[in-house]
Amino acid sequence: MTDPLPSDQPRVELPTADHLPSAIIALGIPVLAEQMLSFCVGFFDVYLSGRLNAEATSAIGLAAYVSWLATMTSGLIGSGAAALVARTYGSGDVEEARRITARALMLAATLGAVLLAVLWLGAPGFAHLLGMEGPTRNIAIEFLRFDAFGQLFACTTLVAAAALRGAGDMRTPLLVLGVTNLVNVVVSSSCVYGWGPFPELGVTGIVTGTVTAHACGLLLMSAVLLGPWSRLQVRPGDIRWHRETTRRILRIGGPAALDGAVTFTGHFLFLMIIARLSPGGFDGSVFAAHIVGIRAEALAYLPAVAWGAAAASLSGRLLGAQQPALALQTGHVAVRQFLSYSVAVSLFMFLGAPWIYAFMHSDPAVAAAGVPAFRWLACYQIPTAILIIYATTLRGSGDTRFPLWCAIVSILGVRVPIAWLGGIWLDAGLVGAWWGMGSDNLLRAVLISWRYRAGRWLHTEV
């Protein structure tokens, strides 16, 4: 292992070329565990709703998409903070990395308050755009407004986790997500069914558990960052506005946030197509089939997110240590390590589609609509994994502009038009709509792979 730091700085170890594969595995496994725990929060919510009815699953699905908007918006700060922390930490300036983290937390808290207001006021509009009516609409609005408070807490937690990963600390976010997941399972189950001292709240109990879990996650993350044992110990006096740090974070995170906004817009337009696949209007069974499929697909792509985060953390620190050739290899190694998993999970998704839908939902109509489409979904998991790993590495190293242009071209120009063509014009149902999703991911995988291999991102200034 090499150590580029002066002797008066804390040790920041970076791998040599021979140790790069093992370093990615060591960093990726904690992030994978974190991602799986995060997945369990949403997966368990959908599972509980599947024990109730299709209307509950549809409402939770809408809330999941809108919550995703909040998560991507936090990328405005998280991507910038992670890239800056990785560069400064890798160069040996640990104190500056700590100050950047503290100032990023101030920005995150402000953004969380803005998201709360936007989601609360916009809840009826989101339900209206999907054509929801009656009980489904009422459930969706109530769920969205309650969940908006969870996003207030989650925004700060996600930015803190991004900064820690930039410094190579993958275990603290894992610990926080572990506690969050446990609280969500216990409180959501208890409030849905009225176990023990908890009231029986039905679908409202699901969001009660989710918001409670996010609040606990923020409290735990705050305790960790303020403690002396943290790699990026935050001093309360540093949690303030700082013009230059804000400018640097927004310069990197601005394109990432716009990328998130474009992605959300395209995906919501895609969701509006899903909501209109049935000639008679909104069909809760088809919509629920889409939500179940998207949630289950996370088992395929979340490990790619983990390996991408590991490669991003390493590449950013290696660039800070002036080792661009080794930084370039991180994404390639991560992709090679991941391909066998993508093949295996694609086979599992294709062959196990009936079992997955039977487990996730009690309504046979949901399985009838979802199983054929889910088998199609299994066919493009390999390019999706390649896209995620390379794109995550690019963003973590500060190159956020090219992924933005790819999102504009591919999501708005390919996903949405092909989904409408296949799902509505050709009347191919959920399978036809998901043609657009597969085509979008395939095109972006090609473009992002070309960008990564060209190597121009190695010279991105942060």
Side-chain angles (χ1 to χ4, degrees), residues 338-383:
F338 197 78
L339 285 180
S340 59
Y341 176 83
S342 291
V343 173
V345 79
S346 297
L347 291 173
F348 172 75
M349 289 173 60
F350 189 88
L351 299 174
W355 177 84
I356 291 170
Y357 270 85
F359 174 77
M360 286 295 294
H361 213 286
S362 58
D363 188 347
V366 174
V371 169
F374 196 71
R375 283 178 165 159
W376 161 254
L377 195 67
C379 296
Y380 64 86
Q381 293 308 308
I382 293 175

Side-chain angles (χ1 to χ4, degrees), residues 418-441:
I418 292 180
W420 179 87
L421 180 68
I424 295 179
W425 196 69
L426 295 178
D427 197 23
L430 193 58
V431 174
W434 282 4
W435 290 343
M437 187 160 51
S439 302
D440 162 35
N441 286 0

Side-chain angles (χ1 to χ4, degrees), residues 259 301 304 331-332 335 338-339 342 379-392 394-395 402-411 414-415 436-454:
D259 184 349
Y301 67 74
H332 296 326
V335 166
F338 197 78
L339 285 180
S342 291
C379 296
Y380 64 86
Q381 293 308 308
I382 293 175
T384 299
I386 294 172
L387 162 64
I388 290 172
I389 291 173
Y390 280 145
T392 304
L394 288 176
R395 294 189 185 101
F402 189 81
L404 164 62
W405 290 113
C406 288
I408 293 173
V409 171
S410 189
I411 296 176
V414 174
R415 175 183 291 245
M437 187 160 51
S439 302
D440 162 35
N441 286 0
L442 180 59
L443 175 58
R444 279 193 292 156
V446 172
L447 294 174
I448 291 292
S449 296
W450 170 80
R451 174 69 171 186
Y452 190 92
R453 291 177 178 276

Side-chain angles (χ1 to χ4, degrees), residues 225-240:
L225 287 177
L226 293 172
W229 51 81
S230 175
R231 184 174 299 190
L232 292 175
Q233 181 185 7
V234 171
R235 299 177 180 87
D238 288 332
I239 304 176
R240 58 185 177 84

Side-chain angles (χ1 to χ4, degrees), residues 52-356:
L52 298 173
N53 49 57
E55 288 75 17
T57 304
S58 298
I60 289 175
L62 171 59
Y65 268 89
V66 176
S67 297
W68 184 34
L69 166 64
T71 301
M72 289 190 297
T73 303
S74 69
L76 170 66
I77 303 167
S79 295
L84 289 176
V85 167
R87 293 288 185 97
T88 53
Y89 201 87
S91 68
D93 194 350
V94 178
E95 285 301 314
E96 178 63 13
R98 290 170 175 169
R99 286 190 290 268
I100 290 171
T101 301
R103 294 160 184 168
L105 293 178
M106 181 67 188
L107 290 173
T110 303
L111 178 61
V114 172
L115 287 173
L116 169 61
V118 170
L119 296 180
W120 178 275
L121 296 173
F126 286 119
H128 174 73
L129 287 173
L130 295 185
M132 291 181 170
E133 298 178 350
T136 303
R137 178 181 184 275
N138 296 334
I139 293 172
I141 292 174
E142 179 185 10
F143 199 103
L144 281 169
R145 284 181 164 170
F146 200 172
D147 188 59
F149 289 94
Q151 298 308 315
L152 172 64
F153 307 135
C155 183
T156 305
T157 305
L158 290 171
V159 170
L164 287 168
R165 284 193 289 268
D169 181 359
M170 309 303 195
R171 295 182 181 180
T172 297
L174 169 61
L175 169 65
V176 172
L177 261 296
V179 173
T180 300
N181 183 63
L182 179 61
V183 171
N184 180 67
V185 170
V186 172
V187 178
S188 292
S189 300
S190 300
C191 290
V192 167
Y193 298 112
W195 293 342
F198 294 90
E200 184 177 347
L201 301 176
V203 68
T204 303
I206 299 175
V207 71
T208 300
T210 302
V211 173
T212 303
H214 285 313
C216 291
L218 176 58
L219 290 174
L220 181 57
M221 181 66 82
S222 300
V224 169
L225 287 177
L226 293 172
W229 51 81
S230 175
R231 184 174 299 190
L232 292 175
Q233 181 185 7
V234 171
R235 299 177 180 87
D238 288 332
I239 304 176
R240 58 185 177 84
W241 289 100
H242 186 268
R243 179 178 299 178
E244 178 60 20
T245 302
T246 300
R247 183 190 66 80
R248 294 176 69 193
I249 288 175
L250 296 182
R251 186 178 64 191
I252 301 169
L258 186 55
D259 184 349
V262 170
T263 300
F264 176 79
T265 300
H267 279 256
F268 201 84
L269 291 172
F270 178 68
L271 198 64
M272 291 173 65
I273 293 172
I274 301 294
R276 290 162 173 79
L277 290 177
S278 299
F282 182 85
D283 187 328
S285 297
V286 174
F287 197 85
H290 172 74
I291 298 303
V292 168
I294 294 300
R295 281 298 186 188
E297 186 202 13
L299 289 172
Y301 67 74
L302 282 181
V305 174
W307 253 240
S313 176
L314 276 177
S315 66
R317 285 182 285 145
L318 287 165
L319 289 174
Q322 305 300 313
Q323 299 185 48
L326 195 55
L328 179 64
Q329 291 302 311
T330 57
H332 296 326
V333 171
V335 166
R336 288 196 296 268
Q337 288 179 341
F338 197 78
L339 285 180
S340 59
Y341 176 83
S342 291
V343 173
V345 79
S346 297
L347 291 173
F348 172 75
M349 289 173 60
F350 189 88
L351 299 174
W355 177 84
I356 291 170

